[in-house]
Amino acid sequence: MRRFRLVSFISLRAASYRTGLLVAFLVNGMLLAVAGPGSTWLPSFTGNQLAISFEQQAVKDEQPETSNQKPEALSANSSRAYAEVLKLRLGSARELLRPELAATPAAPAPLLVANCADFIELVVSQDPSRYEALVESQEAHLAALDRTPASALRDYARAEITLHLGLSQLMFRHLVMGGYHLRSGYHQMQAVVKRYPTFAPARKTLGVCEFA
């Protein structure tokens, strides 16, 4: 019995360590993916870099199923909000996003940035009293994206938010649902990379997942 408890404890600590690594790498990798090659962590990031980065992801050699689609760029407002998220000014970011979400409640760009704010709040605060509300918010973002036509940014945002949701649940010891959403998000990101092979943010996030 003592040996079983020791093995269980070690397994749990290892799982917690791997989850912590994935959270760190995913947040860092997500920001690098969005900021684009050559960007640094926080100091030199601007909202304009973010918008330009997504604009550069237009598919050059489109596959048949995406031949009439062009990956979206973040709006200027979403870019400014993301810059605030990177500075951990989450309240300011949410204020910037509020009118855009009110006007276009299913738009992938503001939903992705809003979810990043929710996810980072949970990662930084580790506040159990905020867990239910923020997880429900992430689930609402996914439901909104399900009503949006497929595109590189929509599919990427859905996979990214699913990963956020899984990691949020794992951090608060909801292991079954967290593992399910983490696995689902990983497979979704694989599908995004396969369908939009030149969409760099998805490739970078997938690489982060495989590395972690």
Side-chain angles (χ1 to χ4, degrees):
M1 178 63 72
R2 177 181 264 173
R3 182 180 179 184
F4 173 76
R5 288 178 179 171
L6 178 60
V7 170
S8 298
F9 174 77
I10 292 172
S11 298
L12 179 60
R13 296 299 297 172
S16 300
Y17 177 71
R18 288 195 300 271
T19 300
L21 276 179
L22 186 52
V23 168
F25 282 127
L26 181 57
V27 171
N28 190 24
M30 176 183 64
L31 303 182
L32 290 175
V34 171
S39 299
T40 55
W41 169 237
L42 288 181
S44 65
F45 183 83
T46 66
N48 288 337
Q49 286 176 310
L50 179 59
I52 291 170
S53 171
F54 269 93
E55 288 167 0
Q56 290 173 342
Q57 306 311 317
V59 176
K60 297 177 182 178
D61 300 314
E62 296 91 343
Q63 296 177 321
E65 68 270 25
T66 61
S67 58
N68 295 321
Q69 298 177 353
K70 179 180 179 179
E72 304 168 65
L74 290 185
S75 65
N77 186 69
S78 292
S79 299
R80 287 193 295 271
Y82 207 107
E84 293 299 289
V85 170
L86 295 181
K87 299 170 187 174
L88 299 182
R89 297 173 182 168
L90 304 183
S92 175
R94 287 165 174 149
E95 284 299 317
L96 285 169
L97 291 169
R98 187 168 287 115
E100 188 173 5
L101 286 170
T104 55
L111 285 172
L112 175 60
V113 177
N115 204 86
C116 290
D118 291 347
F119 178 58
I120 289 175
E121 179 180 344
L122 273 181
V123 171
V124 172
S125 72
Q126 300 282 303
D127 184 356
S129 68
R130 292 287 290 149
Y131 172 77
E132 292 293 340
L134 292 174
V135 164
E136 287 178 6
S137 177
Q138 293 185 55
E139 291 172 340
H141 296 155
L142 288 173
L145 287 170
D146 285 340
R147 301 191 296 269
T148 304
S151 69
L153 183 56
R154 192 292 298 260
D155 294 353
Y156 168 73
R158 188 169 60 176
E160 189 82 44
I161 292 172
T162 302
L163 289 170
H164 293 175
L165 178 58
L167 288 167
S168 299
Q169 291 167 328
L170 286 177
M171 282 190 297
F172 287 86
R173 295 293 189 269
H174 298 281
L175 303 183
V176 175
M177 290 306 298
Y180 168 79
H181 284 119
L182 201 60
R183 179 178 175 84
S184 175
Y186 173 70
H187 287 305
Q188 287 180 43
M189 198 64 73
Q190 285 182 316
V192 176
V193 169
K194 183 176 181 180
R195 186 172 185 185
Y196 306 99
T198 60
F199 190 64
R203 292 170 57 197
K204 291 178 180 178
T205 295
L206 183 61
V208 167
C209 292
E210 291 175 345
F211 176 78

